[in-house]
């Protein structure tokens, strides 16, 4: 019974990926048509260049959003496949567990969808809308995922003193505004960023994430902290080096504005 549920959820994730890729293919066809039109008829640019280039920019922006959504869904699917394979291996090694399949913990099932896999987890979230002057990223807690709208409902548990109302704030954000953190109890899930790599990291003592540069070449152990230099963190004419736990560092999003 558990295997049936596991497979059904993973197939649902696969269908979601397939849908995203088909949408991307359709966008690329439109983009290529515009490219050919601009190349074959240069005079068109002079007459309606702003309109065509604006349309091209809109298509590229949509393609970028779909690509980011694909990364989020792919990451979730990989995590669930790993979890399922580990469970299968354990059941094969211990034949007695086969007789207890019906008593398997329900929490394993709840993790097998994009919504449930991050529900209750802290993630990095961009709370500013597209087109804002700068991107603001905070540590928030996922409380719900709307599959139809493809939106996460998140809670900023520790808003700053300057926030309106002064209390906890909720946001509804698209998948492209969410980056899962590496798992604290699974250091192997954290990327090994090389020296000079730009990342997004939680500034020590806060719940805000900022652009930073990796200082140390490689962590000696997967559980080690990263040594980082944050942009705009100058003290006495130089950038201080600060340590940040591996589970509070994520790749820098493309096009990040700070």
């Amino acid at each position: 019974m558990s295997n049936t549920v596991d497979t059904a959820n993973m197939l649902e994730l696969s269908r979601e990926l397939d849908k995203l890729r088909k949408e991307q293919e359709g966008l690329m066809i439109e983009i290529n048509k515009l490219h050919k039109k601009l190349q074959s008829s240069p005079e068109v640019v002079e007459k309606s260049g702003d309109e065509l280039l604006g349309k091209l920019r809109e298509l590229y922006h949509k393609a970028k959003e779909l690509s980011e959504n694909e990364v989020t869904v792919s990451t979730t699917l990989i995590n669930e496949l790993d979890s399922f394979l580990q469970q299968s291996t354990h059941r094969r090694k211990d034949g007695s567990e086969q007789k207890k399949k019906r008593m398997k913990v329900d929490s394993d099932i709840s993790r097998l969808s994009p919504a449930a896999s991050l529900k209750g987890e802290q993630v990095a979230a961009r709370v500013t809308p597209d087109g804002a002057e700068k991107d603001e990223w905070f540590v928030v807690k996922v409380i719900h995922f709307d599959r139809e709208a493809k939106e996460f409902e998140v809670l900023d548990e520790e808003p700053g003193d300057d926030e309106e109302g002064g209390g906890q704030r909720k946001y509804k954000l698209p998948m492209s505004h969410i980056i899962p953190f590496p798992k604290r109890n699974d250091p192997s899930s954290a990327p090994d960023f090389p020296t000079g790599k730009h990342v997004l990291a939680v500034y020590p003592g806060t719940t805000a994430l900022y652009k930073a540069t990796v200082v140390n070449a490689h962590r000696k152990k997967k559980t080690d902290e990263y040594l980082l230099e944050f942009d705009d963190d100058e003290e006495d004419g130089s950038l201080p080096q600060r340590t940040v736990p591996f589970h509070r560092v994520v790749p820098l999003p493309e096009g990040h504005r700070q």
Side-chain angles (χ1 to χ4, degrees):
M1 182 63 125
S2 177
N3 283 346
T4 301
V5 176
D6 292 351
T7 304
N9 280 278
M10 286 187 285
L11 285 175
E12 186 175 354
L13 283 169
S14 298
R15 285 193 290 270
E16 179 106 13
L17 275 178
D18 186 56
K19 181 182 177 182
L20 286 169
R21 287 167 182 164
K22 286 179 178 176
E23 289 183 40
Q24 290 176 13
E25 289 174 3
L27 275 176
M28 290 311 299
I29 291 175
E30 292 186 54
I31 289 172
N32 288 335
K33 286 180 179 178
L34 273 180
H35 274 273
K36 289 180 180 178
K37 186 173 183 179
L38 291 171
Q39 291 171 359
S40 61
S41 306
E43 67 277 3
V44 174
V45 179
E46 297 179 6
K47 295 180 180 179
S48 57
D50 290 345
E51 180 181 347
L52 286 176
L53 295 178
K55 176 64 175 176
L56 191 60
R57 182 184 183 281
E58 180 183 339
L59 291 174
Y60 271 119
H61 183 78
K62 179 63 176 176
K64 176 177 176 290
E65 182 179 331
L66 288 173
S67 179
E68 291 171 344
N69 290 348
E70 182 182 352
V71 171
T72 300
V73 176
S74 297
T75 301
T76 303
L77 180 56
I78 289 171
N79 289 338
E80 304 314 333
L81 283 169
D82 288 343
S83 175
F84 178 66
L85 289 172
Q86 289 172 5
Q87 293 168 21
S88 298
T89 301
H90 178 71
R91 287 194 293 269
R92 285 197 300 269
K93 287 182 178 179
D94 190 351
S96 64
E97 288 299 313
Q98 294 290 341
K99 300 177 183 179
K100 301 177 183 179
K101 285 189 295 183
R102 294 179 184 178
M103 300 174 63
K104 194 158 173 48
V105 219
D106 289 339
S107 60
D108 286 342
I109 297 174
S110 68
R111 294 201 310 268
L112 294 176
S113 73
S117 66
L118 291 178
K119 187 175 181 180
E121 297 288 332
Q122 288 190 331
V123 297
R126 174 157 67 89
V127 299
T128 45
D130 293 333
E133 184 176 345
K134 66 177 182 177
D135 299 337
E136 294 183 4
W137 289 81
F138 295 105
V139 178
V140 299
K141 182 179 180 180
V142 175
I143 56 179
H144 180 66
F145 178 73
D146 186 333
R147 185 178 295 277
E148 294 298 322
K150 293 185 175 61
E151 283 185 337
F152 283 96
E153 185 175 357
V154 301
L155 176 67
D156 184 356
E157 300 176 284
E158 299 182 30
D161 296 335
D162 57 345
E163 293 285 348
E164 295 181 6
Q168 296 180 336
R169 295 191 61 182
K170 290 182 180 180
Y171 299 91
K172 288 188 176 181
L173 304 172
M175 297 170 68
S176 59
H177 285 210
I178 299 293
I179 302 179
F181 283 119
K183 297 183 184 298
R184 184 197 298 260
N185 59 355
D186 183 15
S188 64
S189 66
D192 196 5
F193 297 112
T195 299
K197 183 70 174 179
H198 295 311
V199 295
L200 197 64
V202 178
Y203 190 85
T206 76
T207 57
L209 292 94
Y210 299 98
K211 180 182 176 182
T213 304
V214 177
V215 175
N216 63 324
H218 294 284
R219 294 173 296 156
K220 294 180 181 178
K221 296 184 299 184
K222 285 288 187 180
T223 53
D224 285 349
E225 298 175 319
Y226 281 107
L227 192 60
L228 306 175
E229 288 181 350
F230 284 87
D231 287 17
D232 304 323
D233 188 29
E234 188 172 318
E235 288 184 1
D236 300 325
S238 62
L239 293 177
Q241 297 179 354
R242 305 188 186 277
T243 55
V244 179
F246 76 90
H247 58 272
R248 283 293 183 258
V249 181
V250 296
L252 182 72
E254 183 180 350
H256 176 73
R257 292 164 295 184
Q258 183 166 310

